[in-house]
Coordinates of all heavy atoms in Angstrom, one line a residue:
M1 N 0.8 -1.2 0.0 CA 0.0 0.0 0.0 C 0.9 1.2 0.0 O 1.9 1.4 0.7 CB -0.9 0.0 1.3 CG -2.2 0.7 1.0 SD -3.3 0.4 2.4 CE -4.5 1.7 2.0
I2 N 0.5 2.2 -0.8 CA 1.3 3.4 -1.0 C 0.5 4.6 -0.5 O -0.7 4.8 -1.1 CB 1.8 3.6 -2.4 CG1 2.7 2.4 -2.8 CG2 2.6 4.9 -2.5 CD1 2.7 2.2 -4.3
S3 N 1.0 5.4 0.3 CA 0.3 6.6 0.7 C 1.0 7.8 0.2 O 2.2 8.0 0.4 CB 0.2 6.7 2.3 OG 1.4 6.8 2.8
L4 N 0.3 8.7 -0.5 CA 1.0 9.8 -1.1 C 0.8 11.1 -0.2 O -0.4 11.3 0.3 CB 0.4 10.1 -2.5 CG 0.8 9.0 -3.6 CD1 -0.1 9.3 -4.8 CD2 2.2 9.1 -4.0
E5 N 1.7 11.9 -0.1 CA 1.6 13.1 0.7 C 0.8 14.1 -0.1 O 0.9 14.2 -1.3 CB 3.0 13.7 1.0 CG 3.6 13.0 2.3 CD 4.8 13.8 2.8 OE1 4.8 15.0 2.7 OE2 5.8 13.1 3.1
E6 N 0.0 14.9 0.5 CA -0.8 15.9 -0.1 C 0.0 16.9 -0.7 O 1.0 17.4 -0.2 CB -1.8 16.5 0.9 CG -3.1 15.7 1.0 CD -4.0 16.4 2.0 OE1 -4.4 17.6 1.7 OE2 -4.4 15.8 3.0
E7 N -0.4 17.3 -2.0 CA 0.3 18.3 -2.7 C 0.0 19.7 -2.0 O -1.1 19.9 -1.6 CB -0.2 18.4 -4.1 CG 0.7 19.1 -5.1 CD 2.0 18.2 -5.4 OE1 1.9 17.1 -5.6 OE2 3.1 18.8 -5.3
G8 N 1.0 20.5 -1.9 CA 0.9 21.8 -1.3 C 1.0 21.8 0.2 O 0.8 22.9 0.8
K9 N 1.4 20.7 0.7 CA 1.6 20.6 2.2 C 2.8 21.4 2.6 O 2.9 22.1 3.6 CB 1.8 19.1 2.5 CG 1.5 18.9 4.0 CD 1.7 17.3 4.3 CE 1.3 17.0 5.7 NZ 1.6 15.6 6.0
N10 N 3.9 21.4 1.7 CA 5.1 22.2 2.0 C 5.1 23.4 1.2 O 6.1 23.8 0.6 CB 6.3 21.3 1.6 CG 6.3 20.0 2.4 OD1 6.0 20.0 3.6 ND2 6.7 18.9 1.8
E11 N 4.0 24.2 1.1 CA 3.9 25.4 0.4 C 4.9 26.5 0.8 O 5.4 27.3 0.1 CB 2.5 26.0 0.5 CG 1.9 26.1 -0.9 CD 0.4 26.6 -0.8 OE1 -0.4 25.8 -0.3 OE2 0.2 27.7 -1.3
G12 N 5.2 26.4 2.1 CA 6.2 27.4 2.6 C 7.6 27.3 2.0 O 8.3 28.2 2.0
L13 N 7.9 26.1 1.5 CA 9.2 25.9 0.9 C 9.3 26.4 -0.4 O 10.4 26.6 -1.0 CB 9.6 24.4 1.0 CG 9.7 23.9 2.4 CD1 9.9 22.4 2.3 CD2 11.0 24.4 3.1
E14 N 8.1 26.6 -1.1 CA 8.1 27.1 -2.5 C 8.5 28.5 -2.5 O 8.0 29.4 -1.9 CB 6.7 26.9 -3.0 CG 6.6 27.1 -4.5 CD 5.2 26.9 -5.0 OE1 4.3 27.8 -4.6 OE2 4.9 26.0 -5.7
S15 N 9.5 28.8 -3.4 CA 10.0 30.2 -3.5 C 9.5 30.8 -4.8 O 9.5 30.2 -5.8 CB 11.5 30.2 -3.4 OG 12.1 29.4 -4.4
I16 N 9.1 32.1 -4.7 CA 8.7 32.8 -5.9 C 9.8 33.8 -6.3 O 10.2 34.6 -5.4 CB 7.3 33.5 -5.7 CG1 6.2 32.4 -5.5 CG2 7.0 34.4 -6.8 CD1 5.0 32.9 -4.9
I17 N 10.2 33.8 -7.5 CA 11.1 34.7 -8.0 C 10.5 35.5 -9.2 O 9.5 35.2 -9.7 CB 12.5 34.0 -8.5 CG1 12.2 33.0 -9.6 CG2 13.2 33.4 -7.3 CD1 13.3 32.7 -10.4
Y18 N 11.2 36.6 -9.5 CA 10.8 37.5 -10.6 C 11.9 37.5 -11.6 O 13.0 37.7 -11.3 CB 10.4 38.8 -10.1 CG 9.3 38.8 -9.0 CD1 9.5 38.5 -7.7 CD2 8.0 39.0 -9.5 CE1 8.5 38.4 -6.8 CE2 6.9 38.9 -8.5 CZ 7.2 38.6 -7.2 OH 6.2 38.6 -6.3
I19 N 11.4 37.5 -12.9 CA 12.4 37.7 -14.0 C 12.0 38.9 -14.8 O 10.9 39.2 -15.1 CB 12.3 36.5 -14.9 CG1 12.5 35.1 -14.2 CG2 13.3 36.6 -16.1 CD1 14.0 35.0 -13.8
C20 N 13.0 39.8 -15.0 CA 12.8 41.0 -15.8 C 12.6 40.6 -17.3 O 13.4 39.9 -17.8 CB 14.0 41.9 -15.6 SG 13.9 43.4 -16.7
A21 N 11.6 41.3 -17.8 CA 11.3 40.9 -19.3 C 12.3 41.6 -20.2 O 12.5 41.1 -21.3 CB 9.9 41.4 -19.6
R22 N 12.9 42.6 -19.8 CA 13.9 43.4 -20.6 C 15.3 42.8 -20.6 O 15.9 42.4 -21.6 CB 13.9 44.8 -20.3 CG 14.5 45.7 -21.4 CD 14.9 47.0 -20.9 NE 13.8 48.0 -21.0 CZ 13.9 49.2 -20.5 NH1 15.0 49.6 -19.8 NH2 13.0 50.1 -20.6
C23 N 15.8 42.7 -19.4 CA 17.2 42.2 -19.3 C 17.4 40.8 -18.8 O 18.4 40.2 -18.9 CB 18.0 43.2 -18.3 SG 17.5 43.0 -16.6
G24 N 16.3 40.2 -18.4 CA 16.3 38.8 -18.1 C 16.9 38.4 -16.7 O 17.2 37.2 -16.5
R25 N 17.2 39.4 -15.9 CA 17.8 39.1 -14.7 C 16.8 38.6 -13.6 O 15.7 39.0 -13.7 CB 18.5 40.4 -14.1 CG 19.8 40.7 -14.8 CD 20.4 41.9 -14.1 NE 21.5 42.5 -14.9 CZ 22.8 42.5 -14.6 NH1 23.2 41.9 -13.5 NH2 23.7 43.0 -15.3
E26 N 17.3 38.0 -12.7 CA 16.5 37.4 -11.6 C 16.3 38.4 -10.5 O 17.3 39.0 -10.0 CB 17.2 36.2 -11.1 CG 16.2 35.2 -10.4 CD 16.9 33.9 -10.0 OE1 17.1 33.1 -10.9 OE2 17.2 33.7 -8.8
L27 N 15.1 38.6 -10.1 CA 14.8 39.5 -9.0 C 14.1 38.8 -7.9 O 13.4 37.8 -8.1 CB 13.9 40.7 -9.6 CG 14.5 41.5 -10.7 CD1 13.4 42.1 -11.5 CD2 15.5 42.6 -10.2
K28 N 14.3 39.3 -6.7 CA 13.6 38.7 -5.5 C 12.6 39.7 -5.0 O 12.8 41.0 -5.1 CB 14.7 38.4 -4.5 CG 15.4 37.1 -4.8 CD 16.7 37.0 -4.1 CE 17.6 35.9 -4.7 NZ 19.0 36.0 -4.2
P29 N 11.6 39.2 -4.3 CA 10.6 40.1 -3.7 C 11.2 41.1 -2.7 O 10.7 42.2 -2.6 CB 9.7 39.1 -2.9 CG 9.8 37.8 -3.6 CD 11.2 37.8 -4.1
H30 N 12.3 40.7 -2.1 CA 13.0 41.6 -1.2 C 13.5 42.9 -1.9 O 13.5 44.0 -1.4 CB 14.2 40.9 -0.6 CG 15.0 41.7 0.3 ND1 14.5 42.1 1.6 CD2 16.3 42.2 0.2 CE1 15.5 42.9 2.1 NE2 16.5 42.9 1.4
D31 N 13.9 42.7 -3.2 CA 14.4 43.9 -4.0 C 13.3 44.9 -4.2 O 13.5 46.1 -4.2 CB 14.9 43.5 -5.3 CG 16.1 42.5 -5.2 OD1 16.9 42.7 -4.3 OD2 16.2 41.6 -6.0
F32 N 12.1 44.5 -4.4 CA 11.0 45.4 -4.6 C 10.6 46.1 -3.3 O 10.2 47.3 -3.3 CB 9.7 44.6 -5.1 CG 9.9 43.9 -6.4 CD1 9.5 42.6 -6.5 CD2 10.6 44.5 -7.4 CE1 9.7 41.9 -7.7 CE2 10.8 43.8 -8.6 CZ 10.4 42.5 -8.8
E33 N 10.8 45.4 -2.2 CA 10.5 46.1 -0.9 C 11.4 47.3 -0.7 O 11.0 48.3 -0.1 CB 10.7 45.1 0.2 CG 9.5 44.1 0.4 CD 9.8 43.0 1.4 OE1 10.5 43.2 2.4 OE2 9.2 41.9 1.1
L34 N 12.7 47.1 -1.1 CA 13.6 48.2 -1.0 C 13.2 49.4 -1.8 O 13.4 50.6 -1.5 CB 15.0 47.7 -1.3 CG 15.6 46.7 -0.4 CD1 16.9 46.1 -1.0 CD2 15.9 47.3 1.0
L35 N 12.7 49.1 -3.0 CA 12.3 50.2 -4.0 C 10.9 50.7 -3.7 O 10.6 51.8 -4.2 CB 12.3 49.6 -5.4 CG 13.7 49.3 -6.0 CD1 13.5 48.4 -7.3 CD2 14.5 50.5 -6.4
H36 N 10.1 50.0 -3.0 CA 8.7 50.3 -2.8 C 7.9 50.4 -4.0 O 6.9 51.1 -4.1 CB 8.6 51.7 -2.0 CG 9.3 51.6 -0.7 ND1 8.7 50.9 0.4 CD2 10.4 52.2 -0.2 CE1 9.5 51.1 1.4 NE2 10.6 51.8 1.1
S37 N 8.4 49.7 -5.1 CA 7.6 49.6 -6.3 C 8.1 48.4 -7.1 O 9.2 48.0 -6.9 CB 7.8 50.9 -7.2 OG 9.1 51.0 -7.6
I38 N 7.2 47.9 -8.0 CA 7.6 46.8 -8.8 C 8.3 47.2 -10.0 O 7.7 47.6 -11.0 CB 6.3 45.9 -9.1 CG1 5.6 45.5 -7.8 CG2 6.7 44.7 -9.9 CD1 6.2 44.3 -7.1
K39 N 9.6 47.1 -10.0 CA 10.4 47.3 -11.3 C 11.8 46.8 -11.1 O 12.3 46.5 -10.0 CB 10.5 48.8 -11.6 CG 11.2 49.7 -10.6 CD 11.4 51.1 -11.1 CE 12.3 51.9 -10.2 NZ 12.4 53.3 -10.6
C40 N 12.4 46.5 -12.2 CA 13.7 45.9 -12.3 C 14.7 46.9 -11.6 O 14.8 48.1 -12.0 CB 14.1 45.6 -13.7 SG 15.7 44.9 -13.8
I41 N 15.5 46.4 -10.7 CA 16.5 47.2 -10.0 C 17.7 47.4 -11.0 O 18.6 48.2 -10.6 CB 17.0 46.5 -8.7 CG1 17.5 45.1 -8.9 CG2 15.8 46.5 -7.7 CD1 18.2 44.5 -7.7
Y42 N 17.9 46.6 -12.0 CA 19.0 46.7 -12.9 C 18.8 47.7 -14.1 O 19.6 48.5 -14.4 CB 19.4 45.4 -13.5 CG 19.7 44.4 -12.3 CD1 18.8 43.4 -12.0 CD2 20.9 44.4 -11.6 CE1 19.1 42.4 -11.0 CE2 21.2 43.5 -10.6 CZ 20.3 42.6 -10.3 OH 20.5 41.7 -9.3
C43 N 17.6 47.5 -14.8 CA 17.4 48.3 -15.9 C 16.1 49.3 -15.8 O 15.9 50.1 -16.7 CB 17.2 47.5 -17.2 SG 15.7 46.5 -17.2
G44 N 15.4 49.1 -14.7 CA 14.3 50.0 -14.5 C 13.0 49.5 -15.2 O 12.0 50.2 -15.1
S45 N 13.0 48.4 -15.9 CA 11.8 48.0 -16.6 C 10.7 47.6 -15.6 O 11.0 47.1 -14.5 CB 12.2 46.7 -17.4 OG 11.0 46.1 -18.0
K46 N 9.5 47.9 -16.0 CA 8.3 47.6 -15.1 C 7.6 46.3 -15.6 O 6.6 46.0 -15.0 CB 7.4 48.8 -15.1 CG 7.9 49.9 -14.2 CD 6.9 51.0 -14.2 CE 7.6 52.1 -13.3 NZ 6.7 53.3 -13.3
I47 N 8.2 45.6 -16.6 CA 7.6 44.4 -17.0 C 8.3 43.3 -16.4 O 9.5 43.0 -16.7 CB 7.6 44.3 -18.5 CG1 6.9 45.5 -19.2 CG2 6.9 43.0 -19.0 CD1 7.2 45.7 -20.6
I48 N 7.7 42.6 -15.4 CA 8.3 41.6 -14.6 C 7.5 40.3 -14.7 O 6.3 40.3 -14.5 CB 8.5 42.0 -13.2 CG1 9.1 43.4 -13.0 CG2 9.3 41.0 -12.3 CD1 10.6 43.5 -13.4
Y49 N 8.2 39.2 -14.9 CA 7.5 37.9 -14.9 C 7.6 37.3 -13.5 O 8.7 37.4 -12.9 CB 8.1 37.0 -15.9 CG 8.0 37.4 -17.3 CD1 9.1 37.6 -18.2 CD2 6.7 37.6 -17.9 CE1 8.9 38.0 -19.5 CE2 6.5 37.9 -19.2 CZ 7.6 38.1 -20.0 OH 7.5 38.5 -21.3
K50 N 6.5 36.7 -13.1 CA 6.5 36.0 -11.8 C 6.7 34.5 -12.1 O 6.0 34.0 -12.9 CB 5.1 36.2 -11.1 CG 5.2 35.9 -9.6 CD 3.8 36.3 -9.1 CE 3.8 36.0 -7.6 NZ 2.4 36.4 -7.0
V51 N 7.8 34.0 -11.5 CA 8.1 32.6 -11.7 C 8.1 31.8 -10.5 O 8.6 32.2 -9.4 CB 9.5 32.4 -12.4 CG1 9.8 31.0 -12.7 CG2 9.5 33.3 -13.7
R52 N 7.4 30.7 -10.5 CA 7.3 29.9 -9.2 C 8.3 28.8 -9.3 O 8.4 28.0 -10.3 CB 5.9 29.3 -9.2 CG 5.4 29.2 -7.8 CD 4.0 28.7 -7.8 NE 3.0 29.8 -7.6 CZ 1.8 29.6 -7.1 NH1 1.4 28.3 -6.8 NH2 1.0 30.6 -6.9
K53 N 9.2 28.7 -8.3 CA 10.2 27.6 -8.2 C 9.7 26.5 -7.3 O 9.7 26.7 -6.1 CB 11.5 28.2 -7.7 CG 12.5 28.6 -8.8 CD 13.8 28.9 -8.1 CE 14.8 29.4 -9.2 NZ 16.1 29.8 -8.5
P54 N 9.2 25.5 -7.9 CA 8.7 24.4 -7.0 C 9.8 23.8 -6.2 O 10.9 23.6 -6.8 CB 8.0 23.4 -8.0 CG 8.6 23.7 -9.3 CD 9.1 25.1 -9.2
S55 N 9.6 23.4 -5.0 CA 10.6 22.8 -4.1 C 10.8 21.4 -4.7 O 9.9 20.7 -5.1 CB 10.1 22.7 -2.7 OG 8.9 22.1 -2.6
V56 N 12.1 21.0 -4.6 CA 12.4 19.7 -5.1 C 12.0 18.6 -4.2 O 12.2 18.6 -3.0 CB 13.9 19.6 -5.3 CG1 14.3 18.2 -5.9 CG2 14.5 20.7 -6.2
K57 N 11.3 17.7 -4.7 CA 10.7 16.6 -3.9 C 11.6 15.4 -3.9 O 12.1 15.0 -4.9 CB 9.3 16.2 -4.5 CG 8.1 16.6 -3.7 CD 6.9 15.9 -4.2 CE 5.7 16.4 -3.4 NZ 4.5 15.7 -3.9
K58 N 11.9 14.9 -2.7 CA 12.7 13.8 -2.6 C 11.8 12.5 -2.4 O 10.9 12.5 -1.5 CB 13.7 13.9 -1.4 CG 14.8 14.8 -1.8 CD 15.8 14.9 -0.6 CE 16.9 15.9 -0.9 NZ 17.8 16.1 0.3
I59 N 12.0 11.6 -3.2 CA 11.2 10.3 -3.1 C 12.1 9.2 -2.7 O 13.1 8.9 -3.3 CB 10.5 10.0 -4.4 CG1 9.6 11.2 -4.8 CG2 9.8 8.7 -4.3 CD1 9.2 11.2 -6.2
K60 N 11.6 8.6 -1.6 CA 12.4 7.4 -1.1 C 12.0 6.1 -1.9 O 10.9 5.8 -2.0 CB 12.1 7.2 0.4 CG 13.2 7.9 1.3 CD 12.9 7.5 2.7 CE 13.8 8.3 3.7 NZ 13.4 7.9 5.1
A61 N 13.0 5.5 -2.4 CA 12.8 4.2 -3.1 C 13.1 3.1 -2.1 O 14.3 3.0 -1.6 CB 13.6 4.2 -4.3
I62 N 12.2 2.2 -1.9 CA 12.5 1.1 -1.0 C 12.7 -0.1 -1.9 O 12.0 -0.5 -2.7 CB 11.2 0.9 -0.1 CG1 11.0 2.2 0.7 CG2 11.6 -0.3 0.9 CD1 9.6 2.2 1.3
Ligands
ZN101 ZN1 15.8 44.5 -16.1

């Protein structure tokens, strides 16, 4: 019998990052907090993609 862990149980481990549409650099939510606005800290572009980085799941093989 196999019991699967519920998806989304470890939501806290999932990190969200932002990618600038113009220069393609990686931005973190912390960077926007410093600026008090959503824009790229490198080139000033206001077009930012939100990217979800799913946490890596480790599966035990018996
Ligand atoms: Zn940029």
Side-chain angles (χ1 to χ4, degrees):
M1 212 173 162
I2 302 157
S3 64
L4 293 167
E5 276 192 41
E6 269 182 62
E7 200 72 46
K9 204 177 179 182
N10 300 317
E11 235 174 299
L13 295 170
E14 190 182 65
S15 58
I16 291 163
I17 56 152
Y18 298 84
I19 304 288
C20 173
R22 198 199 268 172
C23 70
R25 282 185 196 248
E26 201 173 286
L27 302 152
K28 283 160 193 169
H30 177 70
D31 297 326
F32 302 133
E33 281 172 33
L34 295 169
L35 288 168
H36 298 289
S37 64
I38 303 283
K39 67 174 185 179
C40 178
I41 57 168
Y42 302 105
C43 71
S45 171
K46 284 180 181 175
I47 303 161
I48 310 289
Y49 295 122
K50 199 176 180 180
V51 181
R52 218 177 257 203
K53 264 191 181 174
S55 56
V56 181
K57 254 191 179 179
K58 281 180 183 174
I59 298 159
K60 265 188 189 175
I62 304 163

